[in-house]
Amino acid sequence: MLLTDGGKPLGAAAPAAHLTVEQVLALAPDDASRKAGNKLGSAGPWSETGGDGSGAVWGLCRGSGRTPYRTVIDTTGPAYKCSCPSRKFPCKHALGLLLLHASDKSAVPAGDPPDWAGEWLVGRRARAQVKEQAAGGGPADPEAARRRAERRAERIGGGAQELEQRLTDLLRGGLAAAEQAGYGLWEETAARMVDAQAPGLAGRVRELGAIPASGPGWPVRLLEECALLHLLDTAWLGIDRLPQPLAATVRTRVGLTAAAEGPPVRDQWLVLAQYDTPEGKIVTRRIWLYGRGSARIALLLSFGAAGRSPTQALPVGSTLDAELTFHPGSGQLRAELGEQFGVPLAAGPPPPGVPVGGAIAAYGGALSGDPWLDSWPVTLSDVIPVPSPGGWQLADAHGDAALPVATAALSRPALWKLVALSGGGPVTVFGECGHRGFDPLAAWPSEGGAGGAGSADPSSHARPDTGAVPLI
């Protein structure tokens, strides 16, 4: 069956990406799916497998019933379709098929897709084209949109004034009252911010509620967060007097979404990291990209309902030729993925990095434009993970500076993967640098491999695989 779209064959500008096992496992929605997919990553349960130059992979997987499950994957998304009843995305069969392709390419021979796979592939790509065309249109009624924006701005202003009064009452009565009042006071205040259509304010208020139970020193942390919240309130109430870039950041922080604008940036985008964060009743997926030509960092955000993973997923370590359109404000990092040219290509060298001092300077510079910034994406070059009292540090291999590893990363098993990758030698690490420390998200071995600069014979440690190792 020849796949076509409007009479044109669905070919690809480059060979289909041959993902590594690490990259496939990074697509799993949870640990249970990862383990189940591993069990299906051999040829035993599969039949009629195949792939083609457009990035499609398909196969039949034997299950407990009489009829095998039909699984088809479009690696240009990636996107998945399976006849199993699982509500996880991707399901274990899709993960198993990708793992089979990653570990034994001969088990997925080239060929034409069967009818059941080809129909889905054609339909999916046609829908994507229609969606892309629809995204280029403007609002049907600009005047009505302007009036809605004005009404929402008034509601947010009312919520900000109410929040200012509550912060004033808290400070006037003393911070000890926050511990006595418990979480209920903050949840009620957050609900009022939701009513005011300011989800960004509501999220920061909820974070205040957890601080009194966060251990010694909580009054200082609570006062710091109250100050930042007060700064955001007053910035919104005086937003007309702010410079445009800062005003755009304030709108983003209170919860107003701004459409991506400006000319799209086409580049070879390296997928640095991907991870999910539960936020209330939704799951937020963050994907970090680095443009080889533009040297820009980009953040893709997607969202899924509780219990379901977001649909957008990109294999860590791959490179895609694509266009991104950036949002205003907040350092102009957030972007929307536009047209992709060909399929993602596997592996590639890490982005250029900076020493520890450069990472701290980058975070400090970003704070000048966004005081509410928790962290900033940075690539550290030639650092060595070393133990320290109560945790770990990333120390310059050729200097005397070090960054503490963030507490959240200390509890992840991937920290030991980073230590093993280093083997006592320097590595390149991408992560988020902030006031809580450095949160490593991906790493690359040094050119000499494990053991780094201290190796007597670097050639004995050479590694042909220079792909990223996910750390989350």
Side-chain angles (χ1 to χ4, degrees), residues 42 47 69 74 109 142 145 153 166 168 171 204-205 237 262-263 268 318 333 419 423 446 452 467:
S42 60
S47 62
Y69 296 119
D74 182 358
R166 297 207 176 192
T168 301
L171 296 178
R204 298 191 77 92
V205 168
L237 295 174
Q268 298 290 327
S318 63
L333 293 182
V419 175
S446 63

Side-chain angles (χ1 to χ4, degrees), residues 87-110:
R87 305 185 70 170
K88 294 184 178 180
F89 196 82
C91 68
K92 63 182 182 180
H93 306 101
L95 289 170
L97 182 56
L98 283 176
L99 286 171
L100 176 64
H101 187 233
S103 59
D104 184 5
K105 196 172 183 179
S106 63
V108 186

Side-chain angles (χ1 to χ4, degrees), residues 279-470:
E279 298 179 359
K281 296 183 179 180
I282 65 172
V283 175
T284 301
R285 172 164 293 169
R286 291 171 171 83
I287 302 176
W288 287 107
L289 306 175
Y290 172 76
R292 298 267 187 210
S294 62
R296 294 188 68 168
I297 293 286
L299 174 63
L300 304 182
L301 292 180
S302 56
F303 306 92
R308 302 198 66 178
S309 297
T311 56
Q312 189 174 62
L314 296 172
V316 175
S318 63
T319 301
L320 60 152
D321 182 0
E323 291 182 340
L324 297 185
T325 304
F326 286 82
H327 289 251
S330 294
Q332 297 184 334
L333 293 182
R334 186 183 174 189
E336 298 294 334
L337 181 61
E339 183 177 358
Q340 299 183 52
F341 306 90
V343 297
L345 302 177
V354 297
V356 166
I360 297 173
Y363 176 52
L367 278 176
S368 65
D370 185 355
W372 306 278
L373 194 66
D374 287 327
S375 60
W376 187 253
V378 178
T379 300
L380 293 173
S381 61
D382 291 333
V383 292
I384 303 174
V386 295
S388 63
W392 284 80
Q393 293 181 334
L394 295 175
D396 276 333
H398 310 294
D400 56 0
L403 273 173
V405 174
T407 303
L410 296 177
S411 59
R412 295 200 299 262
L415 176 63
W416 297 106
K417 188 186 297 184
L418 173 61
V419 175
L421 181 69
S422 165
V427 290
T428 298
V429 183
F430 170 78
E432 298 172 357
C433 180
H435 63 277
R436 297 183 180 91
F438 189 89
D439 192 354
L441 302 177
W444 294 258
S446 63
E447 293 183 0
S455 300
D457 181 9
S459 62
S460 65
H461 298 291
R463 290 177 46 141
D465 178 18
T466 59
V469 177

Side-chain angles (χ1 to χ4, degrees), residues 17-44:
H18 185 63
L19 305 181
T20 67
V21 171
E22 288 278 4
Q23 291 167 340
V24 174
L25 293 177
L27 299 174
D30 51 40
D31 287 337
S33 298
R34 197 171 290 115
K35 294 177 181 177
N38 260 322
K39 294 180 181 179
L40 298 175
S42 60

Side-chain angles (χ1 to χ4, degrees), residues 170-354:
L170 171 65
L171 296 178
R172 186 174 294 151
L175 293 180
E179 187 176 30
Q180 298 170 358
Y183 191 77
L185 170 65
W186 302 108
E187 186 58 39
E188 177 189 350
T189 305
R192 295 287 299 122
M193 297 304 103
V194 172
D195 293 341
Q197 293 187 297
L201 292 178
R204 298 191 77 92
V205 168
R206 288 193 178 97
E207 291 177 2
L208 294 182
I211 294 178
S214 62
W218 70 263
V220 174
R221 294 191 292 274
L222 180 60
L223 186 59
E224 290 173 347
E225 293 301 321
C226 285
L228 286 172
L229 192 51
H230 165 70
L231 182 64
L232 184 55
D233 280 342
T234 54
W236 173 261
L237 295 174
I239 196 169
D240 294 338
R241 301 188 298 273
L242 298 179
Q244 182 56 37
L246 182 57
T249 295
V250 171
R251 291 188 185 96
T252 301
R253 290 300 180 186
V254 300
L256 288 175
T257 56
E261 58 187 24
V265 179
R266 181 176 177 179
D267 206 337
Q268 298 290 327
W269 297 98
L270 171 65
V271 184
L272 298 172
Q274 172 181 295
Y275 65 94
D276 296 346
T277 305
E279 298 179 359
K281 296 183 179 180
I282 65 172
V283 175
T284 301
R285 172 164 293 169
R286 291 171 171 83
I287 302 176
W288 287 107
L289 306 175
Y290 172 76
R292 298 267 187 210
S294 62
R296 294 188 68 168
I297 293 286
L299 174 63
L300 304 182
L301 292 180
S302 56
F303 306 92
R308 302 198 66 178
S309 297
T311 56
Q312 189 174 62
L314 296 172
V316 175
S318 63
T319 301
L320 60 152
D321 182 0
E323 291 182 340
L324 297 185
T325 304
F326 286 82
H327 289 251
S330 294
Q332 297 184 334
L333 293 182
R334 186 183 174 189
E336 298 294 334
L337 181 61
E339 183 177 358
Q340 299 183 52
F341 306 90
V343 297
L345 302 177
V354 297

